Amino acid sequence: MTQPVLSVQELTVEFVTRRGTLRALDKVSFDVARGEVLGVVGESGAGKSVTGSAIIGLIDPPGRIAGGKVVLSGERVDNLPPEEMRRLRGKRIGMIFQDPLTSLNPLYRVGEQLVETIQTHTDLNAADARKRAIALLDEVGIPAPDRRIDGYPHEFSGGMRQRVVIALALCAEPEFIIADEPTTALDVSVQAQIITLIKRLCKERGTSVMLVTHDMGVIAETADRVAVMYAGRVAEVGPVRDVIKEPLHPYTQGLMGAIPSITGEAERLVQIPGSMPRLSSIPKGCAFNPRCSKVFARCHVERPELIDVGGHQVACHLYDQASAGKTEIAA
Amino acid sequence: MSEQAFVQVRDLKRVFDVSKPWLNRVLERQDKQFLKAVDGVSFDIRKGETFALVGESGSGKSTVARMVVGLLHPSGGTVSIDGVSMSDAKAAQERQRLRKRIQMIFQDPYASLNPRWRVGRIIAEPIHAFGIIQGDAAITERVGELLSLVGLHPDDGKKFPHEFSGGQRQRIAIARALASNAEFIVCDEPTSALDVSVQAQILNLMRDLQQKFGLTYLFISHNLAVVRHMATRIGVMYLGRLVEVSDGKQLFAAPRHPYTRMLLDAVPDLAMVGKPREGVKGEIPNPINPPSGCTFHPRCPLVFDRCRVENPPVIDGVACHAVNAGRVAA
Ligand SMILES: Nc1ncnc2c1ncn2[C@@H]1O[C@H](COP(=O)(O)OP(=O)(O)OP(=O)(O)O)[C@@H](O)[C@H]1O
Ligand SMILES: Nc1ncnc2c1ncn2[C@@H]1O[C@H](COP(=O)(O)OP(=O)(O)O)[C@@H](O)[C@H]1O
Ligand code: SF4
Ligand code: SF4
Ligand SMILES: [Mg+2]
Ligand SMILES: [Mg+2]
């Protein structure tokens, strides 16, 4: 197998609080191949954003990476000194967040911000950097880019601003982009345009993307593979079609039935009882066990690891044929 | 509609003054600015059905909802519920009696629950206010019953709202809405702040309660899939106007208005794995300066001369010159 662009291995992130140490990520592992869009889905608090922040070294104290590693094109990056990490961000890893205003400075013209970023990461002179900025704005679908480049962020609509942020993320031709809920704040019709744009750009440039969202529909349409997160862990990873059409993990199965569809015929939505646990009270063994309809003795004592099941990885004891029988007896 | 509908909304309008302060206007030589948040909306809701309003942000859904329940005065048009006008001064007394039959549920259940009150007191409040039951013991029993009805425990009445999750808080808001024996519940994005697994619990609960008590819902959401799941009939809004009204499943099977078609093409859906999507054009224009004629015309693939000058009337559930002139098969 060729080397993945990004490999996250047993990544663990903890927040030290007055009430003890909270583990927001617990041994999260996944790979992203070149040109691939990996969707990361999960309900609020699943750990999606923390995963993104950890990859780019932006976990603020009292949070810290407590274990595991992040490998970018073969090179370990989670232990880089802060100065080198800062250089890596923007240059090799681009970022797109939910609120475009967090990435844009309201006081500067859009062009100034693009030119500055381009000049930080390349050795283009000011005139060439400006030309490149105009070309990028054109590429992300800003009409009349040679005029709009001198506008301020507030003069752009929400969708247009998000396009500018995408242009900003592309400035240094990064090999990897983290997009955290890039369309959540946008209306459906604009969301569709942004998704199409991200997909097209990645295909043309061979950029890999980690697309974080709570919207399974967005994933269905955009991602090649998908990782489903629950309570700081990866519950299931696999090709998007398999995970959506034939989910293996009881949580993913429930989730698929819980989502109303514009084509489905379900009279009643599947109901998963309860809600995601707080970090301070994550159940022992399988974190999903209080909500799982298929729970058995082993689930309360032993955490299920990701195992391969037909080209698809799942963390659930139901699929661990070798030891399933034994535990029933032991329990 | 021959028989009088339970809720009748006729030519409802609401204009907001969004002018800068007087001095700025004088210095900058600007006129007053007005925003037509709702611009001539009419629909009926039949007893026992779920009528949904769907549309993108700023289309005027919440403004309609607030006028329907009487939280906001219309600039024009009328709302009547069970034959009682919500604005006619002469109907003040009847309206007072009507009030307890109408309740509203909001997107953020936390903001609508008094954080300093115990849940039991929150739910009992409408029972006291409308004098529905007398006697502390009887009221406590009724509160416990309501909590069980929405899937909570009677003892939960002793806790404070912050001790509950978002989904549980929405259950509390529903229990409170039911406390006055409401028949008509206006729900503004009731599950938009919730996770999908919790949203499913709340949507199922709302449907169960509707069947049990014959409730009528005005259900507002920007999520088309949720609306399709819940609604008997659906109204699609764009820039303050209702552009299409249709039976629930029919709207999705055979959308007629060009905006509805575009919206349906844009929705990411589980069934979309690997399928290419139709191109979606443009963004919603600034509502302070909406386009002339049909406000959708700058984005419409079917636009023709008339659309730029004349606001299309709603005919047979669709407000579109092309559809109404038979220019498109619809
Ligand atoms: N600074 C912090 N201190 C303590 N806990 C934190 C901090 N930041 C995040 N967490 C916790 O880490 C967990 C994962 O957070 P994260 O923001 O990644 O969730 P998410 O999946 O992105 O959710 P959402 O969809 O709500 O953004 C949550 O339980 C959150 O409360
Ligand atoms: N109090 C207000 N003052 C000024 N403008 C308002 C006010 N309330 C709503 N609007 C405007 O009215 C339009 C419709 O608003 P709203 O009904 O809240 O939309 P929706 O709920 O569909 O998102 C929007 O353009 C909004 O900005
Ligand atoms: S490990 Fe057990 S509790 Fe967890 S999902 Fe599988 S069956 Fe359910
Ligand atoms: S009236 Fe004209 S512009 Fe408006 S939706 Fe119909 S065809 Fe399009
Ligand atoms: Mg997040
Ligand atoms: Mg609203």
Side-chain angles (χ1 to χ4, degrees), chain A residues 249-251 285-296 298-300 302 304 315-319:
Chain A
H249 198 284
Y251 173 62
C286 174
F288 186 59
N289 76 51
R291 306 177 73 188
C292 183
S293 59
K294 302 199 173 117
V295 59
F296 57 103
R298 188 180 173 191
C299 310
H300 292 288
E302 191 187 330
C316 169
H317 291 312
L318 289 174
Y319 299 92

Side-chain angles (χ1 to χ4, degrees), chain B residues 223-289:
Chain B
N223 184 324
L224 282 146
V226 167
V227 157
R228 179 174 183 272
H229 183 73
M230 293 298 286
T232 324
R233 286 186 313 126
I234 301 171
V236 181
M237 289 191 71
Y238 186 74
L239 278 176
R241 295 177 187 165
L242 206 51
V243 297
E244 178 163 3
V245 181
S246 166
D247 278 350
K249 299 278 180 319
Q250 185 65 21
L251 185 84
F252 289 84
R256 298 165 68 201
H257 195 281
Y259 174 64
T260 315
R261 295 182 181 198
M262 191 191 84
L263 208 54
L264 290 182
D265 281 338
V267 190
D269 195 68
L270 291 185
M272 283 296 291
V273 186
K275 287 188 196 141
R277 60 158 67 252
E278 297 284 312
V280 174
K281 240 178 41 174
E283 294 186 26
I284 300 179
N286 181 349
I288 297 177
N289 279 312

Side-chain angles (χ1 to χ4, degrees), chain B residues 11-316:
Chain B
D11 202 22
L12 199 60
K13 292 184 177 155
R14 175 69 207 210
V15 178
F16 290 110
D17 185 344
V18 292
S19 313
K20 290 186 179 164
W22 173 80
L23 189 63
N24 293 50
R25 282 209 317 275
V26 173
L27 295 176
E28 296 167 26
R29 293 167 193 271
Q30 280 188 358
D31 289 332
K32 277 196 155 212
Q33 285 194 313
F34 295 97
L35 186 157
K36 291 180 180 171
V38 174
D39 191 16
V41 165
S42 305
F43 58 85
D44 283 347
I45 308 178
R46 299 177 204 129
K47 204 157 171 56
E49 81 170 348
T50 300
F51 183 84
L53 283 179
V54 68
E56 296 181 281
S57 163
S59 58
K61 308 176 296 292
S62 302
T63 307
V64 169
R66 284 157 65 210
M67 289 191 282
V68 167
V69 296
L71 285 175
L72 186 73
H73 274 293
S75 311
T78 57
V79 174
S80 66
I81 300 178
D82 208 6
V84 180
S85 162
M86 294 301 281
S87 47
D88 189 351
K90 278 177 284 180
Q93 269 202 337
E94 288 171 81
R95 200 155 52 240
Q96 196 52 38
R97 275 196 300 272
L98 194 65
R99 194 139 288 157
K100 69 171 188 219
R101 298 168 57 193
I102 308 166
Q103 290 291 333
M104 186 154 177
I105 299 171
F106 299 90
Q107 169 171 353
D108 179 0
Y110 200 58
S112 66
L113 303 175
N114 187 335
R116 282 183 298 273
W117 284 13
R118 289 183 200 276
V119 163
R121 183 170 170 204
I122 292 174
I123 296 174
E125 198 248 356
I127 302 179
H128 286 294
F130 295 114
I132 293 182
I133 306 174
Q134 313 298 332
D136 285 350
I139 290 177
T140 308
E141 194 191 323
R142 174 69 180 145
V143 168
E145 207 176 279
L146 286 162
L147 282 165
S148 310
L149 202 57
V150 297
L152 295 172
H153 193 275
D155 288 347
D156 285 334
K158 298 188 187 108
K159 298 188 196 158
F160 289 97
H162 74 258
E163 297 175 67
F164 295 88
S165 68
Q168 289 170 327
R169 283 181 207 142
Q170 202 57 290
R171 290 176 191 268
I172 295 168
I174 293 171
R176 183 183 54 184
L178 295 173
S180 64
N181 301 323
E183 299 157 51
F184 176 45
I185 303 183
V186 175
C187 321
D188 190 358
E189 307 266 7
T191 61
S192 302
L194 305 177
D195 275 320
V196 284
S197 71
V198 180
Q199 165 172 283
Q201 298 165 5
I202 298 295
L203 295 180
N204 283 345
L205 173 67
M206 288 182 62
R207 282 176 71 144
D208 292 346
L209 293 172
Q210 179 170 47
Q211 289 199 335
K212 199 160 178 172
F213 300 111
L215 301 174
T216 306
Y217 291 134
L218 170 57
F219 186 95
I220 288 170
S221 176
H222 66 276
N223 184 324
L224 282 146
V226 167
V227 157
R228 179 174 183 272
H229 183 73
M230 293 298 286
T232 324
R233 286 186 313 126
I234 301 171
V236 181
M237 289 191 71
Y238 186 74
L239 278 176
R241 295 177 187 165
L242 206 51
V243 297
E244 178 163 3
V245 181
S246 166
D247 278 350
K249 299 278 180 319
Q250 185 65 21
L251 185 84
F252 289 84
R256 298 165 68 201
H257 195 281
Y259 174 64
T260 315
R261 295 182 181 198
M262 191 191 84
L263 208 54
L264 290 182
D265 281 338
V267 190
D269 195 68
L270 291 185
M272 283 296 291
V273 186
K275 287 188 196 141
R277 60 158 67 252
E278 297 284 312
V280 174
K281 240 178 41 174
E283 294 186 26
I284 300 179
N286 181 349
I288 297 177
N289 279 312
S292 59
C294 169
T295 52
F296 186 59
H297 85 247
R299 304 173 76 186
C300 182
L302 303 179
V303 57
F304 60 107
D305 304 346
R306 197 169 152 195
C307 309
R308 295 187 186 91
V309 290
E310 198 185 321
N311 177 16
V314 183
I315 298 174
D316 190 21

Side-chain angles (χ1 to χ4, degrees), chain A residues 296-315:
Chain A
F296 57 103
R298 188 180 173 191
C299 310
H300 292 288
V301 289
E302 191 187 330
R303 172 183 167 169
E305 301 298 332
L306 278 176
I307 50 175
D308 281 310
V309 180
H312 190 144
Q313 287 180 300
V314 60

Side-chain angles (χ1 to χ4, degrees), chain A residues 108-296:
Chain A
Y108 291 93
R109 295 172 199 277
V110 159
E112 290 170 309
Q113 306 187 45
L114 284 164
V115 167
E116 193 202 319
T117 311
I118 292 169
Q119 288 199 294
T120 310
H121 298 299
T122 66
D123 22 290
L124 293 181
N125 64 33
D128 286 341
R130 188 178 159 90
K131 268 192 214 136
R132 182 157 160 65
I134 293 173
L136 274 169
L137 287 177
D138 189 37
E139 202 177 335
V140 298
I142 304 273
D146 48 338
R147 249 182 326 110
R148 299 307 301 267
I149 189 169
D150 294 316
Y152 288 94
H154 72 88
E155 295 167 11
F156 290 74
S157 67
M160 286 294 159
R161 265 182 226 144
Q162 199 57 301
R163 289 174 192 267
V164 173
V165 171
I166 294 172
L168 210 50
L170 292 173
C171 276
E173 309 245 320
E175 56 219 82
F176 185 68
I177 290 181
I178 297 177
D180 191 348
E181 307 270 6
T183 61
T184 305
L186 305 175
D187 274 314
V188 229
S189 66
V190 181
Q191 168 175 309
Q193 300 168 13
I194 298 293
I195 291 174
T196 313
L197 175 67
I198 293 177
K199 248 168 96 173
R200 173 172 67 79
L201 293 174
C202 295
K203 205 163 168 190
E204 286 171 9
R205 295 159 172 257
T207 315
S208 311
V209 180
M210 177 176 136
L211 175 70
V212 172
T213 171
H214 65 275
D215 188 334
M216 230 358 149
V218 169
I219 294 284
E221 227 173 282
T222 320
D224 301 303
R225 285 194 316 132
V226 53
V228 180
M229 289 190 70
Y230 187 80
R233 302 170 189 184
V234 175
E236 180 161 7
V237 203
V240 69
R241 187 180 298 270
D242 297 358
V243 173
I244 286 176
K245 299 251 156 78
E246 286 156 48
L248 296 175
H249 198 284
Y251 173 62
T252 322
Q253 289 170 351
L255 209 54
M256 292 307 156
I259 303 170
S261 158
I262 60 163
T263 49
E265 281 310 319
E267 265 307 299
R268 215 179 153 72
L269 299 170
V270 172
Q271 212 164 303
I272 311 173
S275 55
M276 176 99 65
R278 291 176 196 210
L279 290 188
S280 53
S281 56
I282 293 185
K284 283 212 169 48
C286 174
F288 186 59
N289 76 51
R291 306 177 73 188
C292 183
S293 59
K294 302 199 173 117
V295 59
F296 57 103

